[in-house]
PDB file of all heavy atoms in Angstrom:
ATOM      1  N   LYS A  19      99.250  85.844  73.423  1.00 90.00           N
ATOM      2  CA  LYS A  19      98.919  85.943  72.009  1.00 90.00           C
ATOM      3  C   LYS A  19      97.685  85.148  71.654  1.00 90.00           C
ATOM      4  O   LYS A  19      96.860  85.588  70.845  1.00 90.00           O
ATOM      5  CB  LYS A  19     100.075  85.514  71.135  1.00 90.00           C
ATOM      6  CG  LYS A  19     101.248  86.442  71.158  1.00 90.00           C
ATOM      7  CD  LYS A  19     102.355  85.937  70.246  1.00 90.00           C
ATOM      8  CE  LYS A  19     103.489  86.891  70.286  1.00 90.00           C
ATOM      9  NZ  LYS A  19     104.595  86.540  69.315  1.00 90.00           N
ATOM     10  N   ALA A  20      97.460  84.023  72.380  1.00 90.00           N
ATOM     11  CA  ALA A  20      96.231  83.248  72.124  1.00 90.00           C
ATOM     12  C   ALA A  20      94.995  84.010  72.568  1.00 90.00           C
ATOM     13  O   ALA A  20      93.933  83.957  71.901  1.00 90.00           O
ATOM     14  CB  ALA A  20      96.314  81.930  72.924  1.00 90.00           C
ATOM     15  N   ASP A  21      95.092  84.812  73.638  1.00 88.00           N
ATOM     16  CA  ASP A  21      93.966  85.681  74.083  1.00 88.00           C
ATOM     17  C   ASP A  21      93.652  86.677  73.033  1.00 88.00           C
ATOM     18  O   ASP A  21      92.525  86.961  72.742  1.00 88.00           O
ATOM     19  CB  ASP A  21      94.328  86.351  75.374  1.00 88.00           C
ATOM     20  CG  ASP A  21      94.449  85.369  76.571  1.00 88.00           C
ATOM     21  OD1 ASP A  21      93.755  84.341  76.564  1.00 88.00           O
ATOM     22  OD2 ASP A  21      95.278  85.656  77.510  1.00 88.00           O
ATOM     23  N   TYR A  22      94.622  87.293  72.434  1.00 89.00           N
ATOM     24  CA  TYR A  22      94.435  88.326  71.363  1.00 89.00           C
ATOM     25  C   TYR A  22      93.867  87.678  70.109  1.00 89.00           C
ATOM     26  O   TYR A  22      93.083  88.280  69.382  1.00 89.00           O
ATOM     27  CB  TYR A  22      95.661  89.093  71.106  1.00 89.00           C
ATOM     28  CG  TYR A  22      95.823  90.238  72.073  1.00 89.00           C
ATOM     29  CD1 TYR A  22      96.765  90.194  73.115  1.00 89.00           C
ATOM     30  CD2 TYR A  22      95.044  91.383  72.022  1.00 89.00           C
ATOM     31  CE1 TYR A  22      96.862  91.180  74.070  1.00 89.00           C
ATOM     32  CE2 TYR A  22      95.145  92.409  72.962  1.00 89.00           C
ATOM     33  CZ  TYR A  22      96.067  92.289  73.972  1.00 89.00           C
ATOM     34  OH  TYR A  22      96.203  93.295  74.872  1.00 89.00           O
ATOM     35  N   LYS A  23      94.280  86.430  69.845  1.00 91.00           N
ATOM     36  CA  LYS A  23      93.695  85.717  68.677  1.00 91.00           C
ATOM     37  C   LYS A  23      92.216  85.432  68.888  1.00 91.00           C
ATOM     38  O   LYS A  23      91.394  85.692  67.986  1.00 91.00           O
ATOM     39  CB  LYS A  23      94.418  84.390  68.542  1.00 91.00           C
ATOM     40  CG  LYS A  23      94.254  83.738  67.207  1.00 91.00           C
ATOM     41  CD  LYS A  23      95.145  82.484  67.094  1.00 91.00           C
ATOM     42  CE  LYS A  23      95.333  82.116  65.721  1.00 91.00           C
ATOM     43  NZ  LYS A  23      96.183  80.944  65.556  1.00 91.00           N
ATOM     44  N   LEU A  24      91.843  85.082  70.087  1.00 90.00           N
ATOM     45  CA  LEU A  24      90.415  84.893  70.387  1.00 90.00           C
ATOM     46  C   LEU A  24      89.652  86.260  70.392  1.00 90.00           C
ATOM     47  O   LEU A  24      88.575  86.328  69.873  1.00 90.00           O
ATOM     48  CB  LEU A  24      90.263  84.301  71.790  1.00 90.00           C
ATOM     49  CG  LEU A  24      88.837  84.004  72.295  1.00 90.00           C
ATOM     50  CD1 LEU A  24      88.077  83.095  71.326  1.00 90.00           C
ATOM     51  CD2 LEU A  24      88.862  83.433  73.664  1.00 90.00           C
ATOM     52  N   ALA A  25      90.332  87.324  70.851  1.00 90.00           N
ATOM     53  CA  ALA A  25      89.731  88.628  70.828  1.00 90.00           C
ATOM     54  C   ALA A  25      89.486  89.049  69.347  1.00 90.00           C
ATOM     55  O   ALA A  25      88.517  89.760  69.061  1.00 90.00           O
ATOM     56  CB  ALA A  25      90.655  89.658  71.505  1.00 90.00           C
ATOM     57  N   ARG A  26      90.392  88.720  68.488  1.00 89.00           N
ATOM     58  CA  ARG A  26      90.196  89.109  67.060  1.00 89.00           C
ATOM     59  C   ARG A  26      88.962  88.496  66.507  1.00 89.00           C
ATOM     60  O   ARG A  26      88.208  89.110  65.718  1.00 89.00           O
ATOM     61  CB  ARG A  26      91.436  88.678  66.233  1.00 89.00           C
ATOM     62  CG  ARG A  26      91.405  89.043  64.788  1.00 89.00           C
ATOM     63  CD  ARG A  26      91.545  90.555  64.589  1.00 89.00           C
ATOM     64  NE  ARG A  26      90.234  91.047  64.152  1.00 89.00           N
ATOM     65  CZ  ARG A  26      89.797  92.299  64.192  1.00 89.00           C
ATOM     66  NH1 ARG A  26      90.542  93.243  64.657  1.00 89.00           N
ATOM     67  NH2 ARG A  26      88.635  92.669  63.739  1.00 89.00           N
ATOM     68  N   ILE A  27      88.636  87.246  66.837  1.00 91.00           N
ATOM     69  CA  ILE A  27      87.405  86.594  66.422  1.00 91.00           C
ATOM     70  C   ILE A  27      86.240  87.330  66.889  1.00 91.00           C
ATOM     71  O   ILE A  27      85.236  87.584  66.183  1.00 91.00           O
ATOM     72  CB  ILE A  27      87.434  85.088  66.864  1.00 91.00           C
ATOM     73  CG1 ILE A  27      88.562  84.356  66.180  1.00 91.00           C
ATOM     74  CG2 ILE A  27      86.043  84.468  66.587  1.00 91.00           C
ATOM     75  CD1 ILE A  27      88.764  82.932  66.734  1.00 91.00           C
ATOM     76  N   LYS A  28      86.283  87.735  68.177  1.00 91.00           N
ATOM     77  CA  LYS A  28      85.202  88.488  68.790  1.00 91.00           C
ATOM     78  C   LYS A  28      85.078  89.867  68.169  1.00 91.00           C
ATOM     79  O   LYS A  28      83.905  90.371  67.915  1.00 91.00           O
ATOM     80  CB  LYS A  28      85.343  88.588  70.263  1.00 91.00           C
ATOM     81  CG  LYS A  28      85.234  87.294  70.980  1.00 91.00           C
ATOM     82  CD  LYS A  28      85.492  87.423  72.431  1.00 91.00           C
ATOM     83  CE  LYS A  28      85.360  86.038  73.095  1.00 91.00           C
ATOM     84  NZ  LYS A  28      85.577  86.051  74.564  1.00 91.00           N
ATOM     85  N   MET A  29      86.183  90.489  67.732  1.00 90.00           N
ATOM     86  CA  MET A  29      86.061  91.788  67.126  1.00 90.00           C
ATOM     87  C   MET A  29      85.462  91.683  65.766  1.00 90.00           C
ATOM     88  O   MET A  29      84.742  92.632  65.276  1.00 90.00           O
ATOM     89  CB  MET A  29      87.484  92.426  66.952  1.00 90.00           C
ATOM     90  CG  MET A  29      88.086  92.833  68.268  1.00 90.00           C
ATOM     91  SD  MET A  29      87.130  94.039  69.216  1.00 90.00           S
ATOM     92  CE  MET A  29      86.375  92.935  70.434  1.00 90.00           C
ATOM     93  N   ASP A  30      85.607  90.558  65.079  1.00 91.00           N
ATOM     94  CA  ASP A  30      84.954  90.307  63.776  1.00 91.00           C
ATOM     95  C   ASP A  30      83.419  90.316  64.007  1.00 91.00           C
ATOM     96  O   ASP A  30      82.658  90.846  63.183  1.00 91.00           O
ATOM     97  CB  ASP A  30      85.399  89.009  63.167  1.00 91.00           C
ATOM     98  CG  ASP A  30      86.792  89.082  62.628  1.00 91.00           C
ATOM     99  OD1 ASP A  30      87.378  90.168  62.469  1.00 91.00           O
ATOM    100  OD2 ASP A  30      87.423  87.999  62.426  1.00 91.00           O
ATOM    101  N   ALA A  31      83.002  89.708  65.111  1.00 91.00           N
ATOM    102  CA  ALA A  31      81.538  89.745  65.422  1.00 91.00           C
ATOM    103  C   ALA A  31      81.072  91.149  65.775  1.00 91.00           C
ATOM    104  O   ALA A  31      79.982  91.530  65.369  1.00 91.00           O
ATOM    105  CB  ALA A  31      81.273  88.743  66.571  1.00 91.00           C
ATOM    106  N   VAL A  32      81.858  91.911  66.510  1.00 90.00           N
ATOM    107  CA  VAL A  32      81.507  93.278  66.777  1.00 90.00           C
ATOM    108  C   VAL A  32      81.361  94.100  65.537  1.00 90.00           C
ATOM    109  O   VAL A  32      80.443  94.878  65.367  1.00 90.00           O
ATOM    110  CB  VAL A  32      82.513  93.895  67.771  1.00 90.00           C
ATOM    111  CG1 VAL A  32      82.364  95.358  67.959  1.00 90.00           C
ATOM    112  CG2 VAL A  32      82.481  93.190  69.144  1.00 90.00           C
ATOM    113  N   GLU A  33      82.346  93.925  64.636  1.00 90.00           N
ATOM    114  CA  GLU A  33      82.282  94.591  63.374  1.00 90.00           C
ATOM    115  C   GLU A  33      81.057  94.286  62.548  1.00 90.00           C
ATOM    116  O   GLU A  33      80.423  95.141  61.959  1.00 90.00           O
ATOM    117  CB  GLU A  33      83.544  94.300  62.565  1.00 90.00           C
ATOM    118  CG  GLU A  33      83.679  95.141  61.251  1.00 90.00           C
ATOM    119  CD  GLU A  33      84.965  94.839  60.520  1.00 90.00           C
ATOM    120  OE1 GLU A  33      85.785  94.084  60.971  1.00 90.00           O
ATOM    121  OE2 GLU A  33      85.094  95.455  59.427  1.00 90.00           O
ATOM    122  N   ALA A  34      80.655  92.981  62.531  1.00 90.00           N
ATOM    123  CA  ALA A  34      79.468  92.604  61.803  1.00 90.00           C
ATOM    124  C   ALA A  34      78.226  93.250  62.439  1.00 90.00           C
ATOM    125  O   ALA A  34      77.339  93.742  61.754  1.00 90.00           O
ATOM    126  CB  ALA A  34      79.319  91.074  61.821  1.00 90.00           C
TER     127      ALA A  34
END
Side-chain angles (χ1 to χ4, degrees):
K19 289 183 180 184
D21 293 327
Y22 277 105
K23 195 174 202 180
L24 180 60
R26 182 67 251 161
I27 294 168
K28 293 178 181 182
M29 291 305 100
D30 290 342
V32 169
E33 185 177 359

